[in-house]
C-alpha cells in the first residue's frame, strides 16, 4: 500500500502509506489519509487520531463544562469549588477511560461493566465534576456580598425587556 508522489515543484519523491492513487490523495481526503499514515506508523488500527480527538473533547467537557455552566447560573459557586470541579471532572474522565472504555477495560466482565460499559466518559466526568463543585462550594464559606452584587449586575444586564 505504498504510493510514490512526484509533485511538479518538488525535487524529491514522497512515499505515502495507505493511499491507493494520486487522485485519492488530491481529492481532499487528507485527514483520513493522515490518520491512516499515523496509524500505520504507530502500529495502531485506523482511526487512532479520531480516538485521540474524542478523548481530548471528553476531557475538556468533563473538566470545564460544569465550571462554565455553574459560573453562569449559580451565584454560590466558589473559587475552591471551581478548582475541585476541574480536577474531579478530569480525574473521573481518565479513570472511566481506563476502567470502562479503553482498549482493554479493567472492569470488563463485571456486572458494573455490563450495565455502564458503553457510557461515553464525558457523562460520568461531567456529573462527578458537578458534584465536586456543589459539595466544595457548600462546604466553603459563601461569597461576599460584593461578589454577589457583581454577579447580580452581570446577570441582570441582559434583562432589559
Amino acid at each position: 500500500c505504498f504510493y510514490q508522489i512526484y509533485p511538479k515543484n518538488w525535487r524529491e519523491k514522497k512515499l505515502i502509506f495507505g493511499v491507493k492513487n494520486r487522485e485519492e490523495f488530491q481529492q481532499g481526503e487528507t485527514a483520513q489519509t493522515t490518520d491512516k499514515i499515523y496509524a500505520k506508523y504507530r502500529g495502531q488500527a485506523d482511526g487512532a487520531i479520531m480516538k485521540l480527538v474524542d478523548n481530548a473533547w471528553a476531557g475538556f467537557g468533563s473538566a470545564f463544562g460544569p465550571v462554565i455552566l455553574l459560573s453562569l447560573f449559580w451565584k454560590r459557586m466558589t473559587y475552591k469549588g471551581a478548582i475541585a470541579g476541574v480536577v474531579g471532572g478530569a480525574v473521573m474522565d481518565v479513570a472511566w477511560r481506563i476502567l470502562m472504555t479503553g482498549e482493554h477495560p479493567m472492569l470488563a466482565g463485571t456486572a458494573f461493566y455490563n450495565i455502564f460499559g458503553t457510557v461515553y466518559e464525558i457523562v460520568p466526568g461531567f456529573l462527578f465534576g458537578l458534584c465536586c463543585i456543589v459539595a466544595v462550594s457548600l462546604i466553603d464559606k459563601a461569597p461576599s456580598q460584593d461578589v454577589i452584587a457583581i454577579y447580580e449586575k452581570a446577570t441582570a444586564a441582559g434583562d432589559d425587556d
Side-chain angles (χ1 to χ4, degrees), residues 11-158:
R11 294 204 171 147
E12 78 258 13
K13 63 182 179 183
K14 298 284 183 179
L15 289 176
I16 304 298
F17 298 81
V19 180
K20 296 175 189 159
N21 55 36
R22 180 184 289 240
E23 288 76 30
E24 179 183 348
F25 184 73
Q26 293 175 343
Q27 289 175 350
E29 297 186 12
T30 308
Q32 290 178 357
T33 303
T34 304
D35 196 20
K36 288 179 184 179
I37 293 169
Y38 177 78
K40 288 187 187 297
Y41 173 73
R42 300 283 297 176
Q44 299 171 343
D46 288 345
I49 292 176
M50 285 307 298
K51 288 179 186 173
L52 289 173
V53 171
D54 189 37
N55 292 340
W57 278 114
F60 286 133
S62 296
F64 299 111
V67 175
I68 292 170
L69 288 178
L70 286 182
S71 67
L72 294 173
F73 298 110
W74 191 42
K75 61 183 163 188
R76 180 68 173 83
M77 187 176 84
T78 63
Y79 172 77
K80 292 176 185 175
I83 296 299
V86 169
V87 172
V91 167
M92 177 56 85
D93 180 74
V94 171
W96 195 267
R97 176 82 179 136
I98 291 170
L99 296 174
M100 301 296 285
T101 62
E103 294 296 322
H104 304 288
M106 295 176 71
L107 296 180
T110 63
F112 186 78
Y113 179 81
N114 292 338
I115 296 170
F116 298 107
T118 59
V119 174
Y120 183 46
E121 65 247 32
I122 196 171
V123 175
F126 185 92
L127 294 175
F128 188 72
L130 192 69
C131 292
C132 288
I133 293 170
V134 171
V136 172
S137 292
L138 291 176
I139 292 170
D140 196 14
K141 67 178 186 174
S144 67
Q145 291 300 321
D146 295 337
V147 172
I148 292 178
I150 292 170
Y151 178 86
E152 295 290 338
K153 183 179 177 184
T155 56

